[in-house]
Amino acid sequence: MTRRPPEQSIEPAADRPRLSSTEISVDPRTTSRRTFLSLALSAPLAGAALAACGSSGPSQGGSTGGGGGGGGGAGVATYWTLNGQPGEGIRVDAVNRFNKANPSQKITTTLFQNDAYKTKVKTAIGAGQGPTIIWGWGGGGLKSYVDAGQVEDLTSWFSQNKAVKDRLFPSSFGAATIDGKIYAMPAETVQPIILYYNKKLFEQVGVQPPQSWGEIMALVPKFNAKGIAPFSLGGQSRWTNMMWLEFLFDRIGGPEVFQAVFDGEKNAWNNPAAIRGLTEAQKLVKANGFIKGFSSITADSNADQALLYTGKAAMMLHGSWTYGSMSNDGGDFVKGGDLGWMNFPPVEGGKGDPSNTVGNPGQYLSISSKATEKQKDAAKAFFAKGVLTDAEIKQWVDSGSVPIVKGSESTLAASKDAEFLKFIYDVASKAKVFAQSWDQALSPTAAEKLLDNIAQLFQLSITPQQFASNMNQVIGT
């Protein structure tokens, strides 16, 4: 399966956002469906950096102590989360600040390496021995906890604490919501998928950034005629191809098209908008829209990014996390102002709102239903007073990330990367729907089937109808 890192840093370069499909996922996904649409609108690195954990287990966070501790045990609330900088230091600092201000409701943190956390938290929660506060990715993993009655319904709490909800991006609540109820506190940062382009190459060819799908297709022969690949793509990683389908489905038919897949509707992949999206993707492949040999290029090596900043390719559809690595690895490409960016354009005749986006709408904190009332109260107090405080917001911005908090423009404006961060802020905060990546919400079986069929679709070895038929077989698994 695939993954993204829970945090990125512009300086130094971020960990690569995904592992290849043959490596282990850090996304706890044990169900095939989730609520996909967002809820309607209702809504300096402090502390010492901790050493990273070993590969086999947790470390204990900061001055708060550690304590594995199940959610149902007596005593203070427990919080399991991830190690690795810059996020580790920011998370531990948030708990330390809360504990100092609230000595009667202390929280202990335990830090895990990604893979160890994935295994440990699922096992512990299943046994009723999970932490009070569960750090996660929302979506399908959260739904599995909800279905098993293992996490608290926070809907009424958010209704009673509207100020907490209203300061967060409304789009961040989609992956926290199961069957219309909120089961997690959105936290940390936002990472949408965006369309990058090389300004120098556009000037060289004498063209403008595309404002529609038709303009994308029209640019393809113009760049090819100059010996420039229209798009870079690390197709061997498969999930990179998926980003194209996510946007095409949305722009053509709206988020309801893929919602039907998540809802387990029979033959949902046969939706005419889905077939058109699959067809348009193959048209782009057939028109030589991607770099030659894209199926042999990996995203994990950042080779796809290098094609953009070295002038081999004119455009690239990728996550906002790649800005950091291009800034570090691309010489003067970013700092010299040669990198351009935009949201994915609309498709002619499509129903989708062009403000919609996909990617990582946030990270998520849930409360164990097995915790004591005292522990639950401490967790809720932390959600209200300790998550995304002004100090934490500044730490995330200083690390080159955009927190999921409204009104942080002034903090972003002080960053050397202010223009890019402001763009990401606008995309995330103004999105009518911010959808999680498809493979993060499907079961492992369905996600692997999806990635395999996407690879075959882009290699032109199956037709759109064959793709739909293959995927319909695993709906609801």
Side-chain angles (χ1 to χ4, degrees), residues 251-264:
R251 294 297 189 262
I252 292 170
E256 296 82 4
V257 178
F258 205 72
Q259 176 69 41
V261 174
F262 284 123
D263 289 343

Side-chain angles (χ1 to χ4, degrees), residues 141-161:
L142 177 61
K143 187 177 187 301
S144 69
Y145 299 153
V146 172
D147 290 346
Q150 294 163 334
V151 292
E152 288 283 290
D153 180 353
L154 299 175
T155 309
S156 61
W157 184 84
F158 275 109
S159 295
Q160 296 163 9
N161 294 269

Side-chain angles (χ1 to χ4, degrees), residues 93-442:
D93 284 348
V95 172
N96 285 342
R97 283 190 296 265
F98 175 81
N99 286 344
K100 184 176 181 181
N102 302 273
S104 65
Q105 292 183 305
K106 283 192 174 182
I107 296 170
T108 64
T109 56
T110 303
L111 303 170
F112 292 83
Q113 189 183 32
N114 286 349
D115 293 344
Y117 177 76
K118 171 196 170 186
T119 302
K120 175 72 173 178
V121 75
K122 288 172 63 177
T123 301
I125 292 173
Q129 296 296 316
T132 309
I133 301 173
I134 305 162
W135 189 101
W137 293 267
L142 177 61
K143 187 177 187 301
S144 69
Y145 299 153
V146 172
D147 290 346
Q150 294 163 334
V151 292
E152 288 283 290
D153 180 353
L154 299 175
T155 309
S156 61
W157 184 84
F158 275 109
S159 295
Q160 296 163 9
N161 294 269
K162 291 185 177 180
V164 176
K165 184 179 180 183
D166 289 347
R167 66 192 294 264
L168 305 178
F169 291 170
S171 57
S172 69
F173 281 88
T177 305
I178 308 298
D179 297 330
K181 296 182 178 181
I182 305 171
Y183 289 91
M185 167 82 173
E188 300 187 5
T189 63
V190 65
Q191 298 159 342
I193 306 301
I194 58 179
L195 182 59
Y196 293 101
Y197 60 95
N198 186 317
K199 292 181 180 179
K200 277 190 174 181
L201 296 182
F202 272 73
E203 293 174 4
Q204 178 182 326
V205 178
V207 293
Q208 297 297 315
Q211 299 304 306
S212 69
W213 179 252
E215 291 187 14
I216 284 179
M217 296 300 296
L219 285 173
V220 169
K222 294 179 181 179
F223 282 111
N224 280 328
K226 298 292 185 179
I228 302 166
F231 287 98
S232 175
L233 180 64
Q236 184 175 324
S237 299
R238 301 185 302 174
W239 60 268
T240 46
N241 305 353
M242 181 180 65
M243 295 185 289
W244 284 92
L245 298 182
E246 288 169 336
F247 272 116
L248 284 168
F249 275 42
D250 177 87
R251 294 297 189 262
I252 292 170
E256 296 82 4
V257 178
F258 205 72
Q259 176 69 41
V261 174
F262 284 123
D263 289 343
E265 293 183 14
K266 186 177 180 180
N267 296 324
W269 288 99
N270 277 336
N271 186 303
I275 298 299
R276 183 185 170 194
L278 298 166
T279 301
E280 293 297 330
Q282 285 200 327
K283 284 182 180 178
L284 184 58
V285 175
K286 293 173 182 177
N288 296 319
F290 299 109
I291 186 88
K292 184 177 180 180
F294 70 85
S295 293
S296 299
I297 297 171
T298 64
D300 298 339
S301 64
N302 293 346
D304 47 359
Q305 300 173 40
L307 291 168
L308 182 70
Y309 62 69
T310 59
K312 302 294 194 304
M315 294 171 281
M316 178 180 70
L317 187 65
H318 221 311
S320 60
W321 58 80
T322 59
Y323 178 91
S325 50
M326 288 191 287
S327 180
N328 280 275
D329 301 338
D332 293 331
F333 179 62
V334 175
K335 69 181 69 173
D338 294 329
L339 176 64
W341 50 78
M342 59 183 290
N343 203 352
F344 196 89
V347 175
E348 290 81 356
K351 299 178 181 178
D353 191 303
S355 74
N356 292 348
T357 192
V358 301
N360 300 335
Q363 293 76 50
Y364 297 90
L365 305 177
S366 297
I367 299 176
S368 171
S369 60
K370 308 301 181 183
T372 66
E373 289 305 311
K374 182 178 179 181
Q375 291 170 330
K376 292 176 182 178
D377 288 344
K380 291 173 182 177
F382 179 61
F383 288 3
K385 298 181 286 186
V387 176
L388 288 171
T389 61
D390 290 344
E392 182 183 346
I393 289 169
K394 187 176 186 304
Q395 288 178 276
W396 285 119
V397 173
D398 287 348
S399 76
S401 300
V402 175
I404 59 169
V405 178
K406 291 186 260 184
S408 59
E409 294 96 332
S410 60
T411 307
L412 298 174
S415 169
K416 68 179 181 62
D417 300 290
E419 184 182 2
F420 179 76
L421 296 180
K422 178 60 165 59
F423 167 76
I424 297 301
Y425 175 91
D426 287 343
V427 168
S429 62
K430 296 177 181 178
K432 295 288 177 55
V433 173
F434 192 140
Q436 278 190 309
S437 295
W438 294 352
D439 60 340
Q440 290 184 330
L442 296 174

